[in-house]
């Protein structure tokens, strides 16, 4: 079917790239990082100066390419990474274009691509990586696909996609099997090698499906009969699934290669003028990786009976799921160049329509459009997670060198430039393996039951031992006590009988000897009998004490049992605390090692950056502006002396647009000299409108906010002060946040001259009646009151001028009836400073503060505050001693016309 476009291809490369060298530079070049900050966008030699890169990034919600349902968990921002790869000339181009230079020039060390428009004009673009025609397949994989594959192994979704004109090497880059030469293996084969090397066949799984999108019909390349697969979108998460696609589990690399051969044999291809085997469908390889996180798997409890360790292990294993999508897009082509007709023509139309829909979605995401037409094509529905979704995405655009296809090459380059502005929100996909947890719980439950029975038996044996020991001690104590009591009783009984016997003998003798003595002896005997009774009573109390001691021993035994139980529970608590401390220590050690590795990585990057700067040379300005910058640099140094003739000459030779563009130069000296020239030009009223129209005011404000150089702050503030002398420019300064920037500059400035310039700029803004409320609301008055801390006379003179201008505008508004209530200056606390400096030795400060007092006094509602702050005395002095007659007259008229001031003068007994 030569004209039908339905031929199956055998997986061989369609364009001759065998002439490329296989030397790899992966060891010296840094791979693409998905989460790094976006690089600067491309610029053209004939265009305006460089602009910021981050302005075009899209902060999409993590759901889909079209902004689907957002998830509750937060994501990690990751921009779409874009690399460009140049195909070498093929045999046909070498003959047909032998007399013409390539339309593409690469600068891989600067990551730039130059597209030659004609012999004199070129456009320059920047990408995340620029791969020449000599870049090896290994090099392409490491800078484009390897970071995405590593992310998939860590639980993130990832997409690798190739885009370009027919015949520029997309299938060679992605799907080359490398059967003849392993060095020619494409991204699909190399990615699967890395995945299989990281997963464990026992606990992990890798599932693969291979599909093609042909004529807006999604077909299974592994099962050709399944030619109408439906696309299902989950309403909550926005994830896209293909329930009808064939899923094959991969165990080794050989089975994966056989799967790719089978899919390539079923893929549609056709012979065109641009390519002998032109893909007529978009191929999608989907790899589903499920990995168990080994570092987070808790270990089984040991046999030491520690129940706390077993409780900590009762957590399910953590499983991470990642999906890798490798997309080999069909090549874009022009029908008049490819020579397609009949069915092949219809195929080309379908391909171009789907690529056009993808381009519209990319444009909408890059421009932060509210609507993204994701449902215009099945291709955009399948890739909704790759652009603006949750996947890490790397795009490689392939271009050819032939000048005949300059238009297609330019279109491909612009597609890559817009894709660089799309930002995804990467999300980690984790879940717990509860089945594995249940099996482990059953094992641990059996161990716990056995351990509990063993401990219960040991506990009962110990209780019996303690009880028997206590019983023996009690019995022994009772026997000892009974023996002691019996011995004492016998002793006292013996003593008692002997004493009775002696007493009887003495009584008999006394009875015989004297009758009187007999009575005394009887009394003595009675006393001894009483003493013996006392001894018997004492022995009885001792016996009771011994019985009480036995009871105390029994209670102590019970307390010992309770203490033992408390000690066991305390030991368990201490063991749990020790285990928690060990876990915390391990966690801290892991964080320390991570920080150390990051520090080493940052040090290595700093060394690499310093080496590149050393090789590039000092003072080098990017963007092809070396010669103009050198010319302006020398002239700017001459203009730093402030001579107006030199500035005017420089203005005529270089031009205002070029001078303003140098405000964003990387060289600090160039920026300083450029801002000095702009400040000198702004001093002339004829140049002020030109500077504002050319964007000079916006550039000065941005420079004031972004630079940390004191000289730039001082000169930029002076230039803004000159431009703020025009009423129209004053409104522009306020609308672009000028007050906030000037206030921030004043808070960090230490040089009095810088503060004088800032105060002068704010003072000019204070003289605009329309900006009174907004200037005060954004902190203009408070900024002036903060500046007075400097104490320098020139700075204070500018502050006084600003307050006088503000008071004059308020007085005019009060007279016209457009303002009521107290002065905003009084509400912000400026009145004490005005009164304090109204009689200053410096004439500029005194003149402006006197004028401010007179204008504040014009409004009757301010009179009470002014009297309480001592302003009445100053008004009296101004009306009598001020050297300027107009101010003296204004003060006199104000005092005479205000009832509150007249009453205050009478109360203070001032004769006026």
């Amino acid at each position: 079917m030569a004209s039908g476009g339905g031929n199956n291809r055998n997986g061989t490369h369609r364009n001759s790239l065998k002439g490329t060298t296989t030397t790899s530079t992966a060891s010296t070049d840094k791979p693409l990082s998905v989460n790094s900050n976006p690089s600067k966008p491309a610029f053209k030699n004939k265009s305006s100066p460089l602009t910021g890169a981050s302005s075009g990034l899209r902060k999409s919600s993590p759901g889909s390419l079209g902004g689907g349902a957002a998830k509750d968990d937060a994501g990690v921002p990751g921009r779409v990474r874009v690399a460009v790869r140049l195909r070498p000339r093929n045999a046909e181009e070498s003959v047909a274009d032998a007399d013409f230079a390539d339309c593409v020039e690469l600068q891989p060390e600067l990551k730039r691509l130059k597209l030659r428009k004609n012999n004199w004009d070129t456009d320059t673009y920047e990408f995340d990586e620029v791969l020449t025609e000599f870049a090896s397949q290994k090099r392409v994989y490491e800078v484009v696909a390897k970071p995405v594959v590593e992310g998939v192994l860590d639980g993130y979704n990832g997409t690798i996609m190739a885009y370009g004109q027919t015949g520029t090497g997309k299938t060679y880059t992605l799907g080359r099997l490398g059967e003849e030469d392993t060095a020619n293996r494409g991204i699909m084969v190399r990615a699967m090698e890395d995945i299989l090397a990281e997963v464990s066949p026992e606990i992990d799984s890798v599932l693969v499906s291979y599909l093609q999108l042909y004529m807006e019909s999604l077909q299974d390349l592994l099962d050709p009969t399944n030619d109408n697969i439906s696309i299902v979108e989950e309403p909550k998460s926005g994830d896209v699934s293909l329930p009808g696609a064939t899923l094959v589990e991969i165990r080794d690399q050989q089975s994966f290669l056989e799967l790719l051969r089978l899919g390539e044999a079923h893929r549609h291809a056709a012979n065109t003028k641009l390519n002998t085997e032109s893909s007529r469908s978009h191929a999608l390889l989907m790899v589903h990786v499920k990995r168990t996180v080994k570092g987070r798997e808790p270990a089984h409890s040991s046999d030491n009976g520690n129940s706390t360790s077993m409780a900590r292990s009762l957590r399910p294993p953590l499983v991470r799921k990642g999906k890798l999508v490798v997309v080999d897009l069909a090549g874009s082509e022009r029908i008049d160049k490819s020579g397609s007709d009949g069915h092949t023509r219809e195929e080309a139309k379908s391909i171009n329509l789907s690529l056009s829909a993808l381009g519209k979605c990319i444009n909408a995401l890059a421009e932060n459009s509210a609507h993204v037409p994701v449902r215009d094509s099945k291709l955009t529905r399948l890739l909704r997670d790759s652009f603006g979704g949750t996947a890490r995405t790397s795009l490689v655009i392939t271009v050819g060198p032939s000048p005949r296809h300059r238009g297609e090459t330019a279109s491909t380059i612009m597609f890559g430039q817009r894709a660089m502005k799309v930002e995804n929100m990467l999300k980690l996909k984790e879940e717990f393996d509860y089945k594995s947890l249940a099996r482990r719980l059953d094992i641990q439950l059996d161990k716990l039951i056995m351990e509990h029975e063993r401990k219960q038996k040991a506990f009962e044996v110990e209780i019996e031992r303690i009880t028997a020991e206590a019983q023996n001690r009690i019995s022994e104590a009772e026997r000892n006590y009974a023996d002691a009591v019996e011995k004492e009783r016998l002793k006292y009984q013996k003593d008692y009988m002997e004493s009775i016997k002696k007493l009887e003998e003495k009584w008999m003798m006394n009875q015989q000897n004297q009758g009187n003595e007999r009575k005394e002896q009887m009394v003595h005997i009675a006393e001894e009998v009483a003493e013996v009774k006392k001894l018997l009573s004492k022995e009885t109390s001792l016996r009771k004490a011994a019985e009480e001691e036995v009871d105390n021993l029994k209670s102590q035994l019970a307390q010992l049992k309770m203490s033992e139980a408390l000690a066991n529970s305390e030991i368990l608590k201490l063991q749990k605390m020790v285990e928690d401390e060990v876990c915390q220590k391990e966690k801290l050690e892991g964080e320390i090692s991570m920080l150390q590795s990051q520090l080493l990585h940052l040090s290595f990057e700093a060394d690499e950056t310093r080496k590149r700067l050393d090789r590039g040379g000092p003072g080098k300005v990017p963007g092809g502006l070396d010669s103009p910058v050198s010319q302006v640099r020398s002239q700017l140094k001459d203009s730093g002396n402030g001579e107006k003739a030199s500035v005017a000459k420089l203005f005529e030779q270089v031009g205002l647009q070029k001078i303003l563009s140098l405000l964003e130069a990387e060289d600090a000296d160039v920026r300083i000299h450029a801002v000095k020239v702009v400040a000198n030009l702004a001093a002339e009223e004829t140049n002020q409108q030109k500077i504002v129209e050319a964007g000079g005011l916006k550039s000065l404000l941005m420079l004031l906010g972004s630079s940390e150089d004191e000289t730039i702050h001082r000169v930029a503030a002076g230039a803004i002060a000159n431009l703020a002398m025009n009423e129209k420019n004053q409104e522009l300064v306020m609308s672009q946040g000028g007050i906030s920037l000037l206030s921030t500059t004043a808070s960090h400035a230490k040089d009095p001259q810088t503060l004088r310039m800032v105060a002068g700029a704010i003072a000019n803004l204070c003289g605009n009646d329309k900006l009174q409320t907004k200037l005060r609301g954004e902190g203009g008055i408070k900024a002036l009151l903060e500046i007075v801390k400097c104490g320098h006379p020139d700075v204070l003179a500018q502050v006084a001028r600003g307050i006088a201008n503000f008071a004059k505008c308020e007085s005019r508004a009060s007279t016209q009836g457009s303002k009521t209530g107290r002065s905003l200056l009084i509400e912000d606390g400026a009145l004490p400073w005005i009164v304090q400096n109204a009689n200053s030795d410096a004439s500029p400060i005194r003149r402006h503060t006197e004028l401010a007092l007179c204008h504040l006094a014009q409004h009757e509602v301010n009179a009470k505050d002014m009297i309480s702050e001592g302003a009445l005395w100053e008004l009296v002095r101004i009306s009598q001693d001020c050297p300027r007659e107009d101010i003296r007259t204004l003060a006199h008229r104000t005092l005479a016309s205000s009832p509150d001031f007249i009453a205050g003068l009478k109360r203070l007994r001032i004769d006026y």
Side-chain angles (χ1 to χ4, degrees), residues 579-609:
E579 290 173 357
D580 292 342
E581 289 294 331
V582 170
C583 181
Q584 186 68 18
K585 180 180 179 182
E586 292 176 354
K587 183 178 180 182
L588 291 176
E589 289 176 351
E591 292 179 355
I592 289 172
S593 63
M594 185 183 296
L595 291 175
Q596 288 176 347
S597 64
Q598 291 178 357
L599 179 60
L600 291 175
H601 182 65
L602 290 175
S603 301
F604 174 76
E605 288 186 350
D607 292 339
E608 290 297 322
T609 303

Side-chain angles (χ1 to χ4, degrees), residues 273-557:
K273 292 182 179 180
L274 297 177
N275 191 2
T276 57
E277 287 187 15
S278 174
S279 298
R280 315 312 292 170
S281 65
H282 307 297
L284 293 92
L285 176 69
M286 295 185 178
V287 183
H288 303 266
V289 181
K290 179 179 178 182
R291 296 185 67 201
T292 300
V293 183
K294 298 180 180 179
R296 305 261 305 264
E297 179 70 14
H300 290 291
S301 60
S302 59
D303 296 334
N304 57 2
N306 191 341
S307 61
T308 305
S309 298
M310 289 189 293
R312 291 176 63 250
S313 67
L314 298 182
R315 290 180 295 183
L318 189 62
V319 176
R320 290 180 178 173
K321 293 183 177 180
K323 181 175 71 174
L324 174 63
V325 181
V326 183
V327 186
D328 182 9
L329 295 176
S332 60
E333 62 183 44
R334 293 185 179 178
I335 296 177
D336 57 344
K337 288 187 178 181
S338 64
S340 300
D341 57 358
H343 187 71
T344 307
R345 184 186 187 94
E346 296 300 321
E347 291 174 341
K349 288 182 180 180
S350 176
I351 292 170
N352 290 336
L353 283 174
S354 62
L355 293 178
S356 175
L358 178 60
K360 290 180 181 179
C361 291
I362 297 296
N363 291 342
L365 290 170
E367 295 171 2
N368 293 324
S369 175
H371 172 67
V372 180
V374 68
R375 295 189 174 275
D376 289 356
S377 170
K378 286 188 177 181
L379 178 62
T380 54
R381 291 178 64 191
L382 288 169
L383 298 179
R384 65 182 304 163
D385 192 44
S386 303
F387 293 94
T390 62
R392 295 174 184 260
T393 300
S394 283
L395 170 67
V396 55
I397 61 173
T398 57
V399 296
S402 175
R404 292 179 297 166
H405 306 304
R406 183 182 291 107
E408 289 81 355
T409 302
S411 176
T412 301
I413 291 172
M414 293 311 300
F415 180 90
Q417 289 289 295
R418 289 188 290 269
M420 289 176 66
K421 298 180 181 180
V422 178
E423 183 168 335
N424 299 343
M425 297 298 292
L426 312 182
K427 288 194 175 182
L428 183 66
K429 295 189 176 181
E430 295 181 342
E431 64 182 21
F432 292 101
D433 190 355
Y434 289 100
K435 293 183 178 178
S436 176
L437 174 63
R439 292 192 298 269
R440 193 167 67 248
L441 285 176
D442 291 337
I443 296 173
Q444 290 188 355
L445 180 61
D446 294 337
K447 289 185 177 181
L448 287 173
I449 292 173
M450 294 174 62
E451 183 68 17
H452 175 72
E453 291 177 352
R454 186 182 64 81
K455 289 185 176 181
Q456 183 68 25
K457 185 176 180 180
F459 178 74
E460 292 175 355
V461 171
E462 184 67 15
I463 290 297
E464 291 177 357
R465 185 187 65 79
I466 293 175
T467 302
E469 184 179 352
Q471 193 67 33
N472 293 334
R473 291 175 60 185
I474 292 172
S475 301
E476 185 178 358
E478 289 178 349
R479 287 195 301 270
N480 293 335
Y481 176 73
D483 294 341
V485 171
E486 184 64 22
K487 289 179 180 180
E488 289 293 328
R489 188 183 66 79
L490 294 174
K491 179 181 177 183
Y492 285 119
Q493 185 176 5
K494 183 178 179 182
D495 293 340
Y496 174 73
M497 295 302 294
E498 291 177 352
S499 299
I500 292 296
K501 186 176 180 180
K502 289 179 180 180
L503 288 174
E504 288 178 349
E505 291 176 353
K506 289 181 180 180
W507 181 77
M508 292 297 294
M509 291 175 64
N510 291 330
Q511 190 71 21
Q512 294 176 359
N513 294 328
Q514 295 179 359
N516 294 333
E517 293 179 359
R518 188 181 300 168
K519 293 180 181 180
E520 293 177 1
Q521 289 178 354
M522 290 298 295
V523 172
H524 182 67
I525 291 170
E527 292 176 355
E528 290 182 353
V529 170
E531 185 177 356
V532 171
K533 290 181 179 180
K534 289 180 180 180
L535 290 174
L536 290 174
S537 177
K538 184 177 180 181
E539 287 297 326
T540 303
S541 62
L542 289 174
R543 182 171 182 176
K544 291 181 179 179
E547 293 175 352
E548 291 177 356
E549 184 178 358
V550 171
D551 294 337
N552 289 333
L553 287 174
K554 292 181 179 179
S555 63
Q556 289 177 4
L557 178 61

Side-chain angles (χ1 to χ4, degrees), residues 863-871:
K864 293 183 180 180
D865 292 306
M866 297 183 68
I867 293 172
S868 63
E869 293 292 341

Side-chain angles (χ1 to χ4, degrees), residues 207-213 218-232 240-249 259 284-288 323 382:
L207 301 177
V208 172
S209 59
Y210 200 14
L211 310 146
Q212 71 172 351
L213 183 61
L218 191 58
Q219 302 174 359
D220 196 336
L221 290 175
L222 304 181
D223 182 11
T225 59
N226 190 7
D227 59 355
N228 190 16
I229 300 174
S230 60
I231 303 174
V232 179
V240 176
S241 61
L242 307 173
T246 302
L247 280 175
V248 179
E249 185 172 6
L259 182 144
L284 293 92
L285 176 69
M286 295 185 178
V287 183
H288 303 266
K323 181 175 71 174
L382 288 169

